[in-house]
Amino acid sequence: AVVMTMVAGQAPDLSRYAPGAFSQTFASTMAAIHKLDPAVVRDFGLVELDAAAVLQSKVQELDKAAATGKIPAKLLSRWEEALEDVGLFRFHTTVIHGAISQDSVYVDGQSVVALSDFSHLSISDPAEDLKYLAGGALPSTFEDALLHYKSNRENADENIQQRAQLYSELELATWLTHCLAVGEEKAISDAEAMLADLAEQLDAGSLRSLRAASFIGLGAAAVTATAIMNTSPEEPELQADEPMDEFQHEDMPEAPVQDMGESSLDELF
């Protein structure tokens, strides 16, 4: 890694990026951080939260937001249901950057070339570093980033996408809570408008599901995939004039296993 007082590159504009260089380089950069040896953080006595502590902190965020009386009821119900879903919070913590935003990511063209603001480096939920894309990128760009992220970090848990989405939504509620506390009327109005838009997206059915993936469903899919791969090669082949039905399947996420690799900060860029 190279430490500089000035970082090259420009701030990203998520609305401009289709799947491609940005989503791929962002994913590989996040995966590199998340694969760092946790001892890198522990040796400096930085913050470390396990999955239960992460969940508790999110419940507290929601309680504070709900107390304002300014959050649409349908959003509160959505978030409460997600936070009560135990399966959603079955994950192994990793080293995280903790402050990924437009102000800490730098691009050259459409490639991520640098990060700044490592003051929130900690051990926590890797989904925290993905909420920036979940909340601001095009859906296809976020999906592409997730695919490349999982190819770079194969033991990522199957619910990281849902938590990233949840955290990006909760962040709007937390921002409104802050604005109300400091009395910034313009910021309050903006935050309320963003939450109203989020509620409209929920009504329209355009928000991603926050439901945890089913382990039973994953197991059944694995059996199906194995059966297909083991199909006897002696079965009759299709003739050239016989159309072949297209077979589609979803990528199978790996079971969550603690990553204790010996990666270092030198591997980030």
Side-chain angles (χ1 to χ4, degrees):
V2 178
V3 178
M4 299 179 290
T5 55
M6 295 185 66
V7 180
Q10 298 80 41
D13 180 357
L14 294 186
S15 65
R16 296 177 51 204
Y17 301 133
F22 176 79
S23 51
Q24 294 170 20
T25 54
F26 180 89
S28 62
T29 301
M30 293 304 104
I33 294 175
H34 299 166
K35 290 193 293 185
L36 288 172
D37 186 341
V40 173
V41 171
R42 292 193 180 106
D43 289 349
F44 289 95
L46 300 179
V47 173
E48 179 172 358
L49 300 178
D50 60 16
V54 170
L55 174 57
Q56 182 179 14
S57 70
K58 297 304 177 183
V59 170
Q60 291 173 347
E61 283 184 39
L62 179 58
D63 288 345
K64 290 179 181 179
T68 67
K70 299 287 188 178
I71 310 296
K74 62 189 68 177
L75 291 179
L76 288 177
S77 296
R78 170 177 165 86
W79 300 336
E80 288 171 353
E81 181 178 347
L83 293 174
E84 291 171 355
D85 189 346
V86 177
L88 197 62
F89 288 86
R90 287 179 179 146
F91 64 90
H92 289 294
T93 56
T94 69
V95 175
I96 69 168
H97 179 281
I100 295 297
S101 70
Q102 186 178 27
D103 297 326
S104 62
V105 177
Y106 295 83
V107 298
D108 181 7
Q110 293 195 3
S111 296
V112 175
V113 294
L115 298 177
S116 65
D117 191 7
F118 279 86
S119 61
H120 291 81
L121 192 72
S122 63
I123 297 175
S124 188
D125 186 353
E128 287 284 358
D129 286 343
L130 303 181
K131 69 182 180 184
Y132 170 55
L133 254 61
L138 298 173
S140 57
T141 302
F142 181 47
E143 296 289 344
D144 188 58
L146 282 169
L147 287 174
H148 287 278
Y149 175 83
K150 291 180 179 180
S151 71
N152 281 278
R153 182 175 170 251
E154 295 181 352
N155 61 348
D157 72 275
E158 72 280 358
N159 293 310
I160 194 169
Q161 175 180 5
Q162 293 92 317
R163 293 196 311 280
Q165 177 68 31
L166 172 63
Y167 297 168
S168 72
E169 295 177 18
L170 281 174
E171 191 169 43
L172 293 179
T174 300
W175 174 241
L176 175 59
T177 302
H178 168 75
C179 294
L180 289 167
V182 298
E184 297 181 1
E185 294 301 326
K186 177 62 168 60
I188 292 172
S189 177
D190 290 342
E192 289 179 331
M194 287 188 286
L195 285 166
D197 179 67
L198 194 66
E200 291 178 2
Q201 293 180 52
L202 180 59
D203 285 338
S206 57
L207 289 183
R208 300 181 185 93
S209 171
L210 300 181
R211 186 180 300 276
S214 168
F215 285 96
I216 296 177
L218 292 174
V223 171
T224 301
T226 301
I228 292 171
M229 293 175 64
N230 293 334
T231 299
S232 172
E234 299 177 359
E235 291 180 359
E237 297 181 355
L238 290 174
Q239 299 300 317
D241 59 348
E242 293 180 356
M244 177 181 291
D245 292 333
E246 182 179 0
F247 174 73
Q248 298 179 335
H249 66 278
E250 296 182 354
D251 290 330
M252 292 292 298
E254 297 287 335
V257 179
Q258 177 67 52
D259 190 327
M260 295 298 290
E262 296 298 326
S263 302
S264 69
L265 286 170
D266 295 332
E267 300 176 5
L268 293 183
F269 301 101

